[in-house]
């Protein structure tokens, strides 16, 4: 059973940066596509970014393109989400999710594409 643990959330001022981490328990982490999703109070969960199992293919929501960057470190079994120039509308509970995948797929349109989820880490953007 793959377990995911997010960290790195916190309170940041508008324009600030945070780096979220998603650490996995399985040594076969390199066979999983990983997505970052977020959910603000009263809103649906939305996809933010994803990275395929090889790390060569990524995808971003239009709202975060040019500000967020996803990467993975297979030696550390960790996927990162670097978030720069944060805006108040980025505030949410951020989840990482994973699904076994050996091709170049990753997606952010449908959370049900992923079957492993972390507990989430809170990001608050406020002055």
């Amino acid at each position: 059973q793959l377990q995911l643990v997010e960290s790195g959330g916190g309170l940041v001022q508008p324009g600030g940066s945070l780096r979220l981490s998603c650490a996995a328990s399985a040594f076969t982490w390199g066979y999983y596509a990983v997505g970052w999703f977020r959910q603000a109070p009263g809103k649906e969960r939305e996809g933010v970014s994803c990275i395929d199992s090889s790390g060569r293919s990524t995808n971003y929501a239009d709202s975060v393109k040019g500000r967020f960057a996803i990467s993975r470190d297979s030696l550390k079994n960790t996927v990162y989400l670097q978030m720069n120039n944060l805006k108040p509308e980025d505030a949410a509970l951020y989840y990482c999710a994973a699904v076994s995948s050996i091709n170049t797929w990753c997606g952010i349109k449908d959370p049900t594409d992923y079957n492993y989820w972390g507990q989430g880490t809170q990001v608050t953007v406020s002055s």
Side-chain angles (χ1 to χ4, degrees):
Q1 181 80 3
L2 181 68
Q3 293 184 328
L4 306 177
V5 179
E6 304 98 332
S7 61
L11 172 64
V12 64
Q13 292 185 342
S17 298
L18 286 173
R19 189 177 78 159
L20 305 183
S21 298
C22 174
S25 61
F27 69 91
T28 55
W29 184 229
Y31 295 105
Y32 289 84
V34 177
W36 282 98
F37 292 79
R38 66 187 181 188
Q39 189 165 19
K43 294 187 177 181
E44 293 187 353
R45 190 168 298 190
E46 65 170 344
V48 176
S49 182
C50 65
I51 189 166
D52 77 331
S53 57
S54 72
R56 290 191 291 268
S57 179
T58 61
N59 197 6
Y60 296 92
D62 288 342
S63 59
V64 306
K65 281 181 181 176
R67 299 188 298 121
F68 290 13
I70 192 170
S71 62
R72 67 189 304 158
D73 185 336
S74 296
L75 293 178
K76 295 182 178 180
N77 279 4
T78 301
V79 169
Y80 303 100
L81 184 68
Q82 178 66 44
M83 306 187 297
N84 299 323
N85 190 21
L86 283 159
K87 303 176 180 181
E89 52 264 40
D90 294 317
L93 188 60
Y94 281 71
Y95 299 90
C96 71
V99 62
S100 179
S101 174
I102 60 172
N103 59 25
T104 58
W105 174 89
C106 80
I108 56 172
K109 291 184 178 180
D110 188 354
T112 63
D113 286 336
Y114 295 84
N115 52 4
Y116 296 100
W117 289 82
Q119 296 297 312
T121 184
Q122 182 68 44
V123 171
T124 303
V125 184
S126 175
S127 55

